[in-house]
Coordinates of all heavy atoms in Angstrom, one line a residue:
G378 N -2.9 -13.8 -29.3 CA -4.3 -13.3 -29.6 C -4.3 -11.8 -29.6 O -4.9 -11.2 -30.5
G379 N -3.4 -11.2 -28.7 CA -3.4 -9.7 -28.8 C -2.8 -9.1 -30.0 O -3.7 -8.3 -30.7
P380 N -1.8 -9.5 -30.6 CA -1.2 -8.9 -31.8 C -2.2 -9.3 -33.0 O -2.4 -8.5 -33.9 CB 0.2 -9.5 -32.0 CG 0.4 -10.6 -30.9 CD -0.7 -10.2 -29.8
I381 N -2.6 -10.6 -33.0 CA -3.5 -10.9 -34.1 C -4.8 -10.2 -34.1 O -5.3 -9.7 -35.2 CB -3.8 -12.5 -34.0 CG1 -2.6 -13.3 -34.2 CG2 -4.9 -12.9 -35.1 CD1 -2.8 -14.8 -34.0
A382 N -5.4 -9.9 -33.0 CA -6.6 -9.0 -32.8 C -6.3 -7.8 -33.3 O -7.2 -7.0 -34.1 CB -7.1 -8.9 -31.4
I383 N -5.2 -7.1 -33.0 CA -4.8 -5.8 -33.5 C -4.8 -5.7 -35.1 O -5.2 -4.8 -35.7 CB -3.4 -5.3 -32.9 CG1 -3.7 -4.8 -31.5 CG2 -2.9 -4.0 -33.7 CD1 -2.5 -4.4 -30.8
L384 N -4.1 -6.7 -35.6 CA -4.0 -6.9 -37.0 C -5.4 -7.0 -37.7 O -5.7 -6.4 -38.7 CB -3.1 -8.1 -37.5 CG -1.7 -8.0 -37.4 CD1 -0.9 -9.3 -37.6 CD2 -1.1 -6.9 -38.3
I385 N -6.3 -7.9 -37.2 CA -7.7 -8.0 -37.7 C -8.4 -6.7 -37.6 O -9.0 -6.3 -38.5 CB -8.3 -9.2 -37.0 CG1 -7.6 -10.6 -37.3 CG2 -9.8 -9.3 -37.4 CD1 -8.1 -11.7 -36.6
V386 N -8.6 -6.1 -36.4 CA -9.3 -5.0 -36.2 C -8.7 -3.7 -36.9 O -9.4 -2.9 -37.5 CB -9.4 -4.8 -34.7 CG1 -10.2 -3.4 -34.5 CG2 -10.2 -5.8 -33.9
G387 N -7.4 -3.7 -36.9 CA -6.7 -2.5 -37.6 C -6.9 -2.6 -39.0 O -6.9 -1.5 -39.6
T388 N -7.1 -3.8 -39.6 CA -7.4 -3.9 -41.1 C -8.7 -3.4 -41.4 O -8.9 -2.6 -42.4 CB -7.1 -5.4 -41.5 OG1 -5.8 -5.8 -41.3 CG2 -7.4 -5.5 -43.2
I389 N -9.6 -3.7 -40.6 CA -11.0 -3.2 -40.9 C -11.3 -1.8 -40.3 O -12.1 -1.0 -41.1 CB -12.0 -4.2 -39.9 CG1 -11.7 -5.6 -40.5 CG2 -13.4 -3.7 -40.1 CD1 -12.5 -6.7 -39.6
S390 N -10.7 -1.5 -39.3 CA -11.0 0.0 -38.8 C -9.7 0.5 -38.0 O -9.5 0.4 -36.9 CB -12.0 0.0 -37.7 OG -12.4 1.2 -37.2
P391 N -8.8 1.0 -38.8 CA -7.5 1.4 -38.4 C -7.5 2.4 -37.2 O -6.6 2.5 -36.4 CB -6.9 2.1 -39.6 CG -7.6 1.5 -40.8 CD -8.9 1.3 -40.3
E392 N -8.6 3.3 -37.3 CA -8.7 4.4 -36.2 C -8.8 3.8 -34.8 O -8.4 4.5 -33.8 CB -9.8 5.2 -36.4 CG -11.2 4.8 -36.3 CD -11.7 4.0 -37.4 OE1 -11.0 3.9 -38.5 OE2 -12.8 3.6 -37.5
I393 N -9.3 2.5 -34.7 CA -9.5 2.0 -33.3 C -8.0 1.7 -32.6 O -7.9 1.8 -31.5 CB -10.3 0.6 -33.3 CG1 -11.8 1.0 -33.8 CG2 -10.3 0.0 -32.0 CD1 -12.6 -0.2 -34.0
I394 N -7.1 1.3 -33.4 CA -5.8 0.9 -32.9 C -4.8 2.0 -33.0 O -3.6 1.8 -32.7 CB -5.3 -0.4 -33.6 CG1 -5.0 0.0 -35.0 CG2 -6.3 -1.5 -33.5 CD1 -4.0 -1.0 -35.8
G395 N -5.2 3.2 -33.1 CA -4.3 4.3 -33.2 C -3.7 4.8 -31.9 O -3.6 4.2 -30.9
G396 N -3.7 6.1 -31.9 CA -3.2 6.9 -30.7 C -1.7 7.2 -30.8 O -1.0 6.6 -31.5
T397 N -1.3 8.2 -30.0 CA 0.1 8.6 -30.0 C 0.6 8.7 -28.5 O -0.3 8.9 -27.5 CB 0.2 9.9 -30.6 OG1 -0.6 11.0 -29.9 CG2 -0.1 9.9 -32.1
G398 N 1.9 8.5 -28.3 CA 2.4 8.6 -26.9 C 1.7 7.7 -25.9 O 1.6 6.4 -26.2
A399 N 1.3 8.3 -24.8 CA 0.8 7.3 -23.7 C -0.6 6.9 -24.1 O -1.1 6.0 -23.4 CB 0.7 8.1 -22.4
D400 N -1.2 7.4 -25.1 CA -2.5 7.0 -25.7 C -2.4 5.9 -26.8 O -3.6 5.6 -27.3 CB -3.4 8.2 -26.1 CG -3.8 9.0 -25.1 OD1 -4.3 8.5 -24.0 OD2 -3.7 10.3 -25.1
E401 N -1.2 5.4 -27.1 CA -1.2 4.3 -28.0 C -1.9 3.1 -27.6 O -1.7 2.6 -26.4 CB 0.3 3.9 -28.2 CG 1.0 5.1 -29.0 CD 2.6 4.7 -29.2 OE1 3.2 4.8 -28.3 OE2 2.9 4.3 -30.5
V402 N -2.9 2.6 -28.3 CA -3.8 1.6 -27.8 C -3.0 0.3 -27.4 O -3.4 -0.3 -26.3 CB -4.7 1.2 -28.9 CG1 -5.6 -0.1 -28.5 CG2 -5.7 2.4 -29.1
W403 N -1.9 -0.1 -28.0 CA -1.2 -1.2 -27.7 C -0.6 -1.2 -26.2 O -0.5 -2.3 -25.6 CB 0.0 -1.5 -28.6 CG 1.1 -0.6 -28.7 CD1 1.3 0.6 -29.4 CD2 2.3 -0.6 -27.8 NE1 2.4 1.2 -28.9 CE2 3.0 0.5 -28.0 CE3 2.7 -1.5 -26.7 CZ2 4.3 0.8 -27.4 CZ3 3.9 -1.2 -26.1 CH2 4.7 -0.2 -26.4
R404 N -0.3 0.0 -25.7 CA 0.1 0.1 -24.3 C -0.9 -0.3 -23.3 O -0.7 -0.9 -22.5 CB 0.6 1.6 -24.1 CG 1.7 2.1 -24.9 CD 2.1 3.6 -24.6 NE 3.2 4.0 -25.5 CZ 4.4 3.8 -25.3 NH1 4.9 3.3 -24.2 NH2 5.4 4.4 -26.1
G405 N -2.1 0.2 -23.6 CA -3.3 -0.2 -22.7 C -3.5 -1.8 -22.8 O -3.7 -2.3 -21.8
L406 N -3.4 -2.3 -24.0 CA -3.6 -3.7 -24.3 C -2.6 -4.5 -23.5 O -2.9 -5.7 -23.2 CB -3.6 -3.9 -25.8 CG -4.9 -3.5 -26.5 CD1 -4.7 -3.7 -28.0 CD2 -6.3 -4.1 -26.0
A407 N -1.5 -3.9 -23.4 CA -0.3 -4.7 -22.6 C -0.8 -5.1 -21.2 O -0.4 -6.0 -20.6 CB 1.0 -3.9 -22.7
T408 N -1.6 -4.2 -20.6 CA -2.1 -4.3 -19.2 C -3.1 -5.5 -19.3 O -3.2 -6.1 -18.3 CB -2.6 -3.1 -18.6 OG1 -3.8 -2.7 -19.3 CG2 -1.6 -1.9 -18.6
V409 N -3.9 -5.5 -20.3 CA -4.9 -6.5 -20.4 C -4.1 -7.9 -20.5 O -4.5 -8.9 -19.9 CB -5.9 -6.4 -21.6 CG1 -6.8 -7.7 -21.8 CG2 -6.5 -5.1 -21.5
A410 N -3.0 -7.9 -21.2 CA -2.2 -9.2 -21.4 C -1.7 -9.6 -20.1 O -1.8 -10.8 -19.9 CB -1.1 -9.0 -22.4
G411 N -1.2 -8.7 -19.2 CA -0.8 -9.0 -18.0 C -1.9 -9.6 -17.0 O -1.6 -10.5 -16.3
S412 N -3.0 -9.0 -17.1 CA -4.2 -9.5 -16.3 C -4.6 -10.9 -16.8 O -4.9 -11.8 -16.0 CB -5.3 -8.6 -16.4 OG -6.5 -9.1 -15.7
W413 N -4.7 -11.1 -18.1 CA -5.2 -12.4 -18.6 C -4.2 -13.5 -18.7 O -4.6 -14.7 -18.7 CB -5.7 -12.2 -20.2 CG -6.9 -11.4 -20.2 CD1 -7.7 -11.0 -19.1 CD2 -7.8 -11.1 -21.3 NE1 -8.9 -10.3 -19.5 CE2 -8.9 -10.4 -21.0 CE3 -7.6 -11.2 -22.7 CZ2 -9.9 -9.9 -21.8 CZ3 -8.5 -10.8 -23.6 CH2 -9.6 -10.2 -23.2
I414 N -2.9 -13.3 -18.5 CA -2.0 -14.3 -18.5 C -1.6 -14.6 -16.9 O -1.5 -15.8 -16.6 CB -0.7 -14.0 -19.2 CG1 -1.0 -13.9 -20.7 CG2 0.4 -15.1 -19.0 CD1 0.3 -13.5 -21.6
G415 N -1.6 -13.5 -16.1 CA -1.4 -13.7 -14.7 C -2.5 -13.3 -13.9 O -3.3 -14.0 -13.4
G416 N -2.3 -11.9 -13.5 CA -3.5 -11.4 -12.5 C -3.1 -9.9 -12.4 O -2.5 -9.2 -13.1
G417 N -3.7 -9.5 -11.2 CA -3.6 -8.0 -10.9 C -2.1 -7.5 -10.8 O -1.9 -6.5 -11.4
A418 N -1.3 -8.3 -10.2 CA 0.1 -7.9 -10.0 C 0.7 -7.8 -11.4 O 1.6 -6.9 -11.6 CB 0.9 -8.8 -9.1
N419 N 0.5 -8.7 -12.2 CA 1.2 -8.6 -13.6 C 0.6 -7.5 -14.4 O 1.5 -6.9 -15.2 CB 1.0 -10.0 -14.3 CG 1.3 -11.2 -13.5 OD1 0.4 -11.8 -12.8 ND2 2.6 -11.6 -13.5
Q420 N -0.6 -7.2 -14.3 CA -1.2 -6.1 -14.9 C -0.6 -4.8 -14.4 O -0.3 -3.9 -15.3 CB -2.8 -6.1 -14.6 CG -3.4 -4.9 -15.4 CD -4.9 -4.9 -15.0 OE1 -5.3 -5.1 -13.9 NE2 -5.8 -4.7 -16.0
T421 N -0.4 -4.7 -13.2 CA 0.3 -3.5 -12.6 C 1.8 -3.5 -13.1 O 2.2 -2.3 -13.4 CB 0.3 -3.6 -11.0 OG1 -1.0 -3.7 -10.6 CG2 1.1 -2.3 -10.4
A422 N 2.4 -4.5 -13.3 CA 3.8 -4.6 -13.8 C 3.8 -3.9 -15.2 O 4.6 -3.2 -15.7 CB 4.4 -6.0 -13.8

């Protein structure tokens, strides 16, 4: 769902999924994936 959501939203509004370095949006979304598959510890990882 994460990568598909990026493709869908990025096609419609590319600026939402942008960012550089530590502000690259996919880096933040990785923590959401950790939380939604496991929990707080996985999010921290």
Side-chain angles (χ1 to χ4, degrees):
I381 293 174
I383 285 179
L384 283 173
I385 293 172
V386 176
T388 301
I389 299 169
S390 183
E392 68 277 3
I393 293 177
I394 63 161
T397 56
D400 285 315
E401 288 177 290
V402 172
W403 69 267
R404 294 181 187 272
L406 293 173
T408 66
V409 177
S412 176
W413 284 1
I414 297 174
N419 309 93
Q420 184 178 42
T421 302

